[in-house]
Amino acid sequence: MTITTLLEHPDLWRAGRPGGGGASHRPAQPSRYPLLDQYLIGGGWPVGAVSELCFNQTGIGELQLLAPALATLSRQRRWIAWVNPPFLPYPPALAACGIQVGRMLLIQGTSNENPAVIGAASSRDLNLAAGSHSYGSHAHKPVDPRLKAHRRMLWALEQASRSGACSAVLAWLDERLITVRDLQRLQVAARQGNTLTWLFRPGEALKQPSLASLRLQLHAAQSPGMGLQRLKVDIVKRQGGWPVDGLILDLQRETTYIDRHQVMELLTFWRSEHQSVVLPDAAQAFSLPTTVQQRAMH
Amino acid sequence: MLWIAVHFPWFGLEVAARGAAAAGRTGRSETGYDDLVKGPQKEEKKKKAEEKKKAEEKKKAEEKKIATGISLPQKEDLDQQQEQTPPPEPQVLIHDQQVIQCNPVARGFGIHPGNSLATAQSLAPGHLKHFHWNGEYEEARLAFLAEVLYRFSSEISPEMPDAIVLEAGRSLKLFGDLGRLSTAVTTTCEALGHHTRVRAAATPLAALALARSGATTLPEVPLQCLATGLQPVRASEKSTHEKRPGGRAPTRTLPNKTLPNKTIERLNNMGLTRLGQVLTLPRTELAHRFGYEFATYLDRLGGHVPDPRATILPPDRFDQSLHLLEPLRDKATLERPMHHLLNELGQWLIAHQLGAEALVWSFSAHAAQSRTCMPVRFARAQQQPRAFAGISLLKLAETPLPEDVLSISLKARRLKPWIAHNNSLFPEALLASASSFNPSGESATEPAVCIELLDQLGARLGESACVRLEALDCYTPETAWQPLSVSASPARHAPPVPPGRRPLWLFTPPRPVDEHELVLLEGPERIQGQWWTSPVSRDYYIASHRNGARCWAFVDEGDNGRQWYLHGYFA
């Protein structure tokens, strides 16, 4: 065994190297933000681990940060689970980011403090479910409904991560009830299911220790122009590396959408010209819809 | 033609004690008596039994040919095993305050069929367990067992009160040999909690006679066994102990094709107690003295006259219930009876080569007055009891039940032809296939783990807590999407492209906001539509909120003046 092979050992951490050393074998899902990928260990979001995103204000671009990765992941035949999201992940916007909406699985919490999500159809059922807990001798001693809802979501999150049926899980938990033990379980579950788990937490959560492989703090950054949105990312913790502060990411909001749109137009035109020709792989990658084609021909 | 008769020596008791056995109240488990003996001991006993068996096999091979020309192939003899592991608790089946069946332990206490309950209780003071005879349950149970055994033969008929006859000749090739077939029959019945004695012969009547008597050759069969389905022990008790008034409940009215008691009594009075003695007598004279019926019976026994049976046709639905002896108040204790029923369902599904997509449990207290139905759905048809159990128990935890549960019933719904699929050997292989790119976004089969996850989430959180999303080609933001049930087939068309920028978080409904908190960045985008229901006419702006969020806001020129609303975040 030479010194070189020793130095390449995955467990050896080297401060001098970006990413800490021979940790490149760890599976990672590129975030497709070059600046961020450069600093994330393995070149992307750690797969089979929990990543925490801590920020205080919703709507600063936290989903756009994940969107490119989600777009890639949604092409797997596995689910992308949204556990207890605060608002509705809007399908047309997801689709515009190139995410396959059919792979999204929305798991809704029952707690009333999490308003919004789905319309009347589900809230009726939720009320029924809430009512049914209270009676019957088979029901055990009364549990705080908030705690109960938290446990259900935690259970759902763990199942989704552990089962291996989800390529990614995005979760919002009740921050007041979350414990270190819960986080520990989630980390194990993510490893078992080879799932990328993103946990969305408020900024205060950074004061508590966590077992997550990656912890990011997000701030809205001063926008350079009217339409552009910028996000400041601090890597508070990354497994196998020092913290990094102040990464400014331009959220390339339109690029994905315009690219996709233009490519579709081109393909449609091309296809109408060559009806009998089988599409090349690249064209299939954009899953050219028949509807668009029809629309274009009219 | 080769017939196998399956006789259940303690059928009445087993059926009556079934509820108790399932609930574990009498310390009895699903598989019955044997389970009480610890594993290793049981193994030892099995070994011993096997050694004995081997020694006896040589003997039996010589006895194959018997006087009447009925060939008796090798048999599996399980009696030794049964008798070596009796249950530790005396149990009797009573009807009309009279013992009609007792287990070996009870017999050890000196209890015999025909004793009164009071006598039995004084013989085994304290710990005698008694059950009441219920003919209906027995009949239903026998029919069910016949259905389960349908997998071994297409020609199968239940023989009241305690035996099943099946034609095995045509199944031999499939199952290898008779030994293997009868072992399979025994194992199946034992899994359902019934002890069996399996015998084979060339005619159904001969097989029945052998099975009921437990004899190895036909001439040894005591004549009493031909009359009733009762055990020879009980019959011999009858002659030595007090005489039971004839025609009472224990000797229930039996279908034809058995001998009337009177004939047997007459034969006994003549000194003929074994079948062999009768078979050596000239047939014509016997017919002359004992009547046409007796002669026909002997002819059928010997296979000289055809003996058609009413074969069963298994029904195409599963509906079983379990009546518990004591009310259950705790969900945890319900688990065992539920497993019991699921086990039976599993057997039934295998026999029918079906899978069930939905189960309906119902739990009821006293005589169905408060009844709780618990439907359990599966994303894909299942066959294994284990798969059913996990989801059912999850659902049970979320379902309120009546105070006392006295009976549990299980129905299988949405039955689908069972197509067995291969699981991959390595989970990695599954993941690799899962991650392979699928251009159309649709898949021939969802990976099994995905289906399982949906089932689990649906059972614990409710069917509606878990939805998938679909984008619709609609102009107004509220209607441009819809939740889909997870079982719905995914959309085949590609999602529509929205005309403008849309936020990733949508507020349902929009939230009013103060105009001064917003800095407008882009816009407006006029969205109009739905004039046929509620006309929408809004100017949408992309704005920066004072708190730093990028939001989607619109102004509504309503009757109450201008009002700004937030409709989403560009998160």
Side-chain angles (χ1 to χ4, degrees):
Chain A
M1 188 179 282
T2 62
I3 188 80
T4 340
T5 52
L6 266 179
L7 288 175
E8 287 304 317
H9 195 273
D11 287 343
L12 190 70
W13 181 79
R14 293 165 71 194
R17 261 199 204 188
S24 54
H25 74 289
R26 283 185 200 154
Q29 176 66 44
S31 71
R32 305 217 328 240
Y33 286 98
L35 183 63
L36 185 60
D37 281 344
Q38 188 184 334
Y39 288 100
L40 291 180
I41 304 301
W45 302 108
V47 174
V50 176
S51 305
E52 283 183 19
L53 303 176
C54 303
F55 53 95
N56 285 325
Q57 177 56 51
T58 311
I60 56 173
E62 68 272 16
L63 291 187
Q64 290 175 64
L65 183 65
L66 310 184
L70 286 179
T72 317
L73 290 170
S74 69
R75 294 180 188 278
Q76 296 185 4
R77 268 171 57 199
R78 299 200 283 169
W79 298 109
I80 291 176
W82 299 65
V83 180
N84 202 24
F87 310 106
L88 169 76
Y90 191 46
L94 293 175
C97 292
I99 300 171
Q100 300 240 337
V101 180
R103 292 280 106 199
M104 301 294 120
L105 186 69
L106 199 57
I107 303 167
Q108 299 151 70
T110 50
S111 91
N112 295 328
E113 289 154 55
N114 212 10
V117 197
I118 303 294
S122 62
S123 71
R124 190 191 58 225
D125 286 307
L126 296 185
N127 287 341
L128 276 180
S132 65
H133 293 320
S134 50
Y135 90 102
S137 64
H138 285 266
H140 298 291
K141 64 182 183 218
V143 185
D144 178 14
R146 216 178 64 194
L147 185 62
K148 187 159 186 178
H150 172 69
R151 281 194 191 143
R152 285 159 68 98
M153 282 304 109
L154 207 57
W155 174 85
L157 171 55
E158 197 180 326
Q159 291 297 322
S161 310
R162 189 192 299 280
S163 65
C166 298
S167 54
V169 183
L170 293 78
W172 289 258
L173 294 172
D174 192 337
E175 197 58 36
R176 289 159 295 185
L177 299 170
I178 208 163
T179 63
V180 176
R181 204 180 132 67
D182 295 340
L183 298 172
Q184 210 169 353
R185 289 185 66 115
L186 292 180
Q187 181 80 10
V188 174
R191 196 181 310 143
Q192 282 181 359
N194 196 27
T195 305
L196 217 171
T197 305
W198 280 298
L199 208 53
F200 292 81
R201 309 186 66 185
E204 294 90 65
L206 285 170
K207 290 174 193 157
Q208 301 163 9
S210 166
L211 286 159
S213 303
L214 179 68
R215 306 186 90 186
L216 302 184
Q217 189 171 20
L218 312 181
H219 307 275
Q222 195 64 45
S223 165
M226 287 298 276
L228 283 175
Q229 203 172 348
R230 270 190 171 175
L231 190 67
K232 179 166 160 277
V233 179
D234 296 338
I235 301 179
V236 178
K237 174 188 174 185
R238 48 174 181 161
Q239 222 166 43
W242 298 113
V244 181
D245 275 359
L247 303 176
I248 307 284
L249 303 183
D250 283 326
L251 300 175
Q252 302 149 355
R253 56 167 181 103
E254 297 289 353
T255 46
T256 346
Y257 163 57
I258 286 182
D259 280 356
R260 184 180 151 77
H261 193 66
Q262 285 171 346
V263 167
M264 274 188 185
E265 296 258 325
L266 282 171
L267 282 176
T268 312
F269 175 71
W270 185 82
R271 205 181 194 183
S272 60
E273 294 285 311
H274 307 86
Q275 282 289 346
S276 59
V277 180
V278 180
L279 284 180
D281 284 345
Q284 283 184 2
F286 281 95
S287 65
L288 183 72
T290 48
T291 48
V292 169
Q293 185 191 357
Q294 284 157 6
R295 208 182 293 157
M297 286 169 79
H298 283 148
Chain B
M1 296 283 263
L2 181 65
W3 294 84
I4 283 186
V6 187
H7 170 65
F8 306 102
W10 295 301
F11 190 63
L13 255 180
E14 281 161 346
V15 171
R18 192 166 148 255
R25 287 298 161 118
T26 53
R28 198 140 276 99
S29 68
E30 290 142 49
T31 43
Y33 301 147
D34 290 341
D35 259 22
L36 290 165
V37 182
K38 280 172 191 164
Q41 287 178 343
K42 196 173 156 189
E43 286 299 304
E44 273 181 30
K45 279 170 187 167
K46 266 191 185 168
K47 268 187 198 166
K48 273 187 197 169
E50 271 171 19
E51 282 168 15
K52 267 192 188 177
K53 215 194 297 174
K54 274 182 191 166
E56 278 176 12
E57 265 173 13
K58 280 185 187 173
K59 264 192 201 172
K60 282 180 195 168
E62 292 164 8
E63 290 172 359
K64 264 189 181 176
K65 282 273 173 188
I66 52 167
T68 48
I70 298 171
S71 69
L72 266 189
Q74 254 169 266
K75 293 168 294 288
E76 290 289 309
D77 197 359
L78 281 137
D79 289 39
Q80 300 158 351
Q81 195 188 332
Q82 281 171 10
E83 271 143 36
Q84 279 172 2
T85 59
E89 191 183 47
Q91 292 183 335
V92 292
L93 184 69
I94 57 165
H95 176 71
D96 227 356
Q97 295 299 310
Q98 209 177 31
V99 176
I100 57 172
Q101 202 168 49
C102 54
N103 68 351
V105 181
R107 205 171 292 144
F109 277 98
I111 302 170
H112 298 286
N115 291 150
S116 67
L117 178 60
T119 315
Q121 269 166 343
S122 61
L123 282 170
H127 47 288
L128 182 75
K129 190 93 190 164
H130 69 269
F131 305 98
H132 291 274
W133 175 74
N134 186 329
E136 279 175 32
Y137 286 177
E138 272 187 29
E139 204 171 333
R141 186 69 182 162
L142 202 62
F144 170 72
L145 284 171
E147 279 169 37
V148 169
L149 294 183
Y150 190 72
R151 76 176 76 161
F152 298 112
S153 165
S154 63
E155 214 167 302
I156 181 162
S157 58
E159 298 286 327
M160 284 300 288
D162 56 0
I164 291 170
V165 173
L166 52 109
E167 204 283 313
R170 277 169 282 180
S171 311
L172 276 188
K173 198 164 188 178
L174 179 63
F175 289 92
D177 58 29
L178 192 63
R180 234 179 267 171
L181 178 59
S182 47
T183 314
V185 169
T186 312
T187 331
T188 312
C189 293
E190 278 191 357
L192 294 170
H194 291 282
H195 281 82
T196 52
R197 196 189 287 145
V198 181
R199 291 288 187 278
T203 62
L205 278 182
L208 263 180
L210 287 169
R212 282 189 171 145
S213 63
T216 46
T217 58
L218 210 50
E220 286 172 17
V221 174
L223 283 178
Q224 280 92 349
C225 299
L226 304 180
T228 64
L230 303 180
Q231 295 162 52
V233 184
R234 197 188 303 175
S236 62
E237 304 305 337
K238 194 178 160 189
S239 52
T240 49
H241 291 266
E242 78 259 59
K243 245 203 157 92
R244 198 172 44 201
R248 297 217 41 181
T251 50
R252 295 177 283 272
T253 49
L254 291 165
N256 50 2
K257 297 180 184 175
T258 52
L259 290 184
N261 276 339
K262 219 187 218 174
T263 314
I264 293 184
E265 253 182 69
R266 278 174 67 196
L267 285 166
N268 279 346
N269 290 344
M270 291 169 70
L272 303 170
T273 54
R274 309 244 157 210
L275 193 55
Q277 296 168 307
V278 179
L279 290 175
T280 48
L281 296 176
R283 186 191 165 273
T284 329
E285 277 71 23
L286 274 178
H288 192 67
R289 183 170 289 205
F290 292 100
Y292 171 73
E293 246 181 61
F294 183 63
T296 323
Y297 177 83
L298 287 185
D299 283 344
R300 283 180 172 154
L301 186 74
H304 308 300
V305 164
D307 185 10
R309 309 250 124 195
T311 56
I312 60 147
L313 199 65
D316 52 356
R317 62 199 168 83
F318 179 90
D319 184 357
Q320 281 287 306
S321 47
L322 195 61
H323 304 281
L324 306 170
L325 295 183
E326 292 167 48
L328 293 185
R329 295 203 160 84
D330 193 13
K331 279 182 181 173
T333 49
L334 274 175
E335 229 174 274
R336 287 189 64 165
M338 284 172 74
H339 275 299
H340 200 87
L341 281 172
L342 285 174
N343 199 13
E344 287 171 9
L345 172 65
Q347 302 276 13
W348 185 86
L349 287 173
I350 291 171
H352 290 250
Q353 282 301 296
L354 289 173
E357 268 188 3
L359 303 181
V360 180
W361 291 93
S362 68
F363 304 91
S364 56
H366 315 283
Q369 54 180 340
S370 58
R371 191 181 180 87
T372 307
C373 277
M374 186 180 87
V376 185
R377 287 191 188 81
F378 300 89
R380 187 157 69 190
Q382 302 279 354
Q383 196 177 56
Q384 292 300 315
R386 202 153 35 105
F388 290 128
I391 308 293
S392 295
L393 291 178
L394 272 177
K395 185 94 180 179
L396 180 71
E398 299 293 313
T399 315
L401 292 184
E403 291 262 333
D404 300 332
V405 174
L406 261 180
S407 84
I408 307 171
S409 80
L410 174 62
K411 292 177 186 135
R413 289 285 151 81
R414 284 205 257 156
L415 299 166
K416 295 281 163 67
W418 177 249
I419 302 158
H421 53 271
N422 296 326
N423 284 334
S424 64
L425 182 57
F426 305 105
E428 285 86 354
L430 176 75
L431 295 179
S433 71
S435 58
S436 67
F437 176 62
N438 192 343
S440 54
E442 66 197 68
S443 49
T445 51
E446 293 272 344
V449 282
C450 294
I451 304 275
E452 262 169 45
L453 176 70
L454 292 184
D455 282 344
Q456 281 177 345
L457 292 174
R460 170 93 194 259
L461 305 176
E463 297 291 326
S464 64
C466 196
V467 293
R468 56 208 283 182
L469 298 170
E470 190 183 24
L472 298 177
D473 201 355
C474 220
Y475 202 56
T476 46
E478 290 93 338
T479 51
W481 70 283
Q482 69 173 10
L484 273 183
S485 104
V486 284
S487 51
S489 57
R492 295 288 158 94
H493 60 85
V497 180
R501 260 193 93 193
R502 294 287 177 266
L504 281 162
W505 283 138
L506 192 78
F507 296 169
T508 48
R511 297 171 170 188
V513 67
D514 187 6
E515 188 182 352
H516 306 293
E517 291 181 4
L518 300 174
V519 179
L520 301 186
L521 301 174
E522 279 179 42
E525 180 192 353
R526 170 65 61 90
I527 293 184
Q528 272 180 319
Q530 283 200 317
W531 50 266
W532 58 94
T533 51
S534 52
V536 170
S537 174
R538 299 166 182 165
D539 284 335
Y540 277 91
Y541 296 87
I542 294 171
S544 175
H545 196 273
R546 202 161 57 188
N547 59 21
R550 189 63 61 100
C551 44
W552 205 36
F554 69 87
V555 60
D556 191 37
E557 311 263 3
D559 300 332
N560 321 333
R562 282 165 67 89
Q563 173 62 48
W564 283 83
Y565 290 95
L566 285 188
H567 207 167
Y569 279 146
F570 290 93

